[in-house]
Amino acid sequence: MAYAPAVWLAVQSHFFRTADYNTARYNQGQITQRVLDQFDDAFLFNNFNFNRPCLTFIADLIRVSLHNNVSFQRKDYQQVDAMVLVAIYFYANGILSKKIMDLVGLDKAAATEAVNVVSKLLAGMAGKFITFPGSHNDRVCVAQGIKDLSRIPNAVGVLGCMHVKVAPPAEKVSLYKNSLDFHSVMIQTICDVDGNLLAVEKCCPGSTPEQQVWESSVIFQYFKQGYNGPTWVIGGHGYQLSTYVLTPKHPSNVTDTDSSSYNAAHNQALSRSLRAIGSLKNRFRCLEDLGPVHLGSLDHVARVIYACCVLHNIAKKFSVPLPRELVPEPAHPVPYAAERSDGATISEAKVIQDDMILTCFHNLSEEPSQAADVGLQEGSLEEEEGRQPSL
């Protein structure tokens, strides 16, 4: 994973410390059979889009969280398993299934509450399972992956926005209509080349300009304050070029093969964001349409989306395959962002971009796919020689 393994070790360590007592009771027969144990592996994957080890980890994670809540402390393994399975079935299929509710012993009211509770708990874990590379070594790891793919150096993530269809409140219909002409909420995402989510934030109506979402995000403030060093993220043409966001060259400025090669490589890197969002919607069909949005609050839909993002990274960690063939998210036809008004800053960004293009793409004979192969070979050599790749 792109984020630190220490995060997973800490989470699992916390779980095992908290779970010791109940595990002992389970092994001594004081706790009845888990609901998960009633189903075979094929049934679990076909209905929930997760394998047994991953579902067990998620259920135990939720149980530990519930243990810290007075209202839910008395829930046993079976009750927690039932809540988790109903919630994950909803994420995977977009509906509450009577068949599943009957199998796990929950009525519709209890199942609806289970989805709300599990969504809130998982969304609250976003800071543990969705982490932006904070250390130099973590930034090097993410940047090397992007450089191997595209030749673009110093990039510590790929920036994008995920649109999720909703039914908007009647008073705000136009606010939710996006550039693909459907009503949505949008979530800002940053991922690595493998599709791991590094940052997820800012649930907004679908017509919100991408640049506005970016500038109101926490991760933008981190870049602005210099926490991420001399690095940037790769963003589409809906963002303004800056020392933090590397955008493609406007078509009118693509006047030579260097710029053309750069734009092709940039597009190749940017496609990883579309693939990551496609993977999310592949595994979690609820993200095809989350239904009505309450006037004045996006909390409910935001919790479900955040929960799916946390589960996406957990599934990646457990190497759970997608349930069907991946179809990347279609790119939204947003206009090119207007240039910033602060001329000195944009001039500096253009100089940095032009210098990088000259250094990495001048007289490049290989196609972008061949360039990726060269980058991979270079990275392997650095690794074999024991040298740390530099940003």
Side-chain angles (χ1 to χ4, degrees):
M1 298 296 287
Y3 42 86
V7 173
W8 291 90
L9 294 175
V11 170
Q12 294 183 55
S13 174
H14 172 70
F15 158 65
F16 285 126
R17 286 199 308 272
T18 310
D20 279 347
Y21 173 67
N22 281 334
T23 300
R25 291 175 60 216
Y26 181 81
N27 291 335
Q28 293 166 11
Q30 298 176 33
I31 297 177
T32 54
Q33 184 187 40
R34 297 187 64 159
V35 174
L36 279 167
D37 297 336
Q38 299 174 21
F39 309 116
D40 63 31
D41 292 347
F43 179 89
L44 291 176
F45 185 78
N46 291 337
N47 284 276
F48 304 101
N49 297 342
F50 285 91
N51 58 24
R52 184 182 301 278
C54 195
L55 284 170
T56 301
F57 177 83
I58 295 164
D60 290 340
L61 202 62
I62 295 298
R63 183 173 56 79
V64 170
S65 297
L66 290 175
H67 182 77
N68 298 324
N69 187 314
V70 176
S71 303
F72 296 99
Q73 278 183 350
R74 297 187 64 83
K75 288 193 178 292
D76 60 23
Y77 276 89
Q78 284 196 327
Q79 291 170 310
V80 174
D81 282 0
M83 291 175 64
V84 169
L85 288 177
V86 164
I88 293 185
Y89 187 91
F90 169 76
Y91 303 145
N93 301 281
I95 60 171
L96 287 173
S97 163
K98 186 176 186 305
K99 173 186 174 183
I100 298 298
M101 289 189 289
D102 289 344
L103 285 172
V104 302
L106 295 182
D107 60 23
K108 187 170 183 180
T112 301
E113 181 192 19
V115 173
N116 291 333
V117 170
V118 173
S119 296
K120 186 175 182 180
L121 291 173
L122 286 171
M125 298 176 194
K128 292 178 179 156
F129 292 99
I130 304 173
T131 60
F132 198 76
S135 71
H136 174 75
N137 286 342
D138 289 340
R139 289 194 291 270
V140 165
C141 180
V142 176
Q144 189 65 45
I146 294 174
K147 184 180 178 183
D148 288 344
L149 174 72
S150 66
R151 288 185 177 269
I152 296 174
N154 306 333
V156 290
V158 184
L159 179 63
C161 282
M162 174 170 67
H163 285 262
V164 178
K165 186 177 180 181
V166 296
E171 302 86 344
K172 301 286 186 180
V173 171
S174 61
L175 192 61
Y176 287 83
K177 181 170 279 192
N178 62 37
S179 60
L180 285 180
D181 206 32
F182 68 89
H183 299 102
S184 67
V185 293
M186 58 193 293
I187 292 275
Q188 178 177 284
T189 65
I190 300 177
C191 70
D192 65 13
V193 292
D194 297 318
N196 301 301
L197 295 173
L198 308 178
V200 175
E201 57 178 314
K202 305 305 297 184
C203 185
C204 306
S207 68
T208 311
E210 293 177 344
Q211 183 67 25
Q212 180 180 326
V213 177
W214 165 245
E215 290 185 352
S216 64
S217 68
V218 172
I219 200 70
F220 169 77
Q221 294 301 323
Y222 286 168
F223 272 95
K224 192 174 181 180
Q225 294 166 27
Y227 291 149
N228 295 308
T231 63
W232 45 33
V233 290
I234 291 176
H237 60 251
Y239 299 95
Q240 295 169 346
L241 174 67
S242 72
T243 53
Y244 322 131
V245 181
L246 185 64
T247 61
K249 284 274 192 179
H250 190 280
S252 63
N253 295 325
V254 180
T255 57
D256 53 32
T257 56
D258 296 359
S259 296
S260 179
S261 295
Y262 161 72
N263 267 13
H266 184 283
N267 185 64
Q268 189 174 34
L270 200 62
S271 69
R272 293 309 174 104
S273 173
L274 300 177
R275 289 181 62 84
I277 294 170
S279 295
L280 270 160
K281 293 187 176 183
N282 185 300
R283 193 182 305 278
F284 306 110
R285 301 298 288 272
C286 70
L287 298 180
E288 293 180 354
D289 190 339
L290 279 178
V293 169
H294 304 302
L295 183 63
S297 176
L298 295 176
D299 289 349
H300 171 67
V301 293
R303 280 196 294 267
V304 172
I305 296 171
Y306 275 54
C308 291
C309 290
V310 168
L311 292 174
H312 167 84
N313 272 6
I314 292 175
K316 297 282 288 182
K317 178 66 177 177
F318 279 81
S319 300
V320 183
L322 291 173
R324 55 194 68 86
E325 185 178 354
L326 171 63
V327 177
E329 179 80 347
H332 283 242
V334 297
Y336 278 79
E339 287 193 359
R340 300 175 62 91
S341 57
D342 47 342
T345 300
I346 188 65
S347 295
E348 179 187 2
K350 283 183 175 179
V351 168
I352 294 172
Q353 184 187 50
D354 288 342
D355 285 348
M356 183 272 293
I357 291 174
L358 182 62
T359 301
C360 301
F361 295 94
H362 182 55
N363 292 333
L364 189 64
S365 59
E366 297 91 353
E367 293 297 320
S369 60
Q370 293 173 305
D373 292 339
V374 172
L376 283 170
Q377 292 167 5
E378 291 171 347
S380 300
L381 286 173
E382 286 179 335
E383 192 173 63
E384 288 171 3
E385 294 172 5
R387 289 185 278 122
Q388 184 185 66
S390 58
L391 284 177

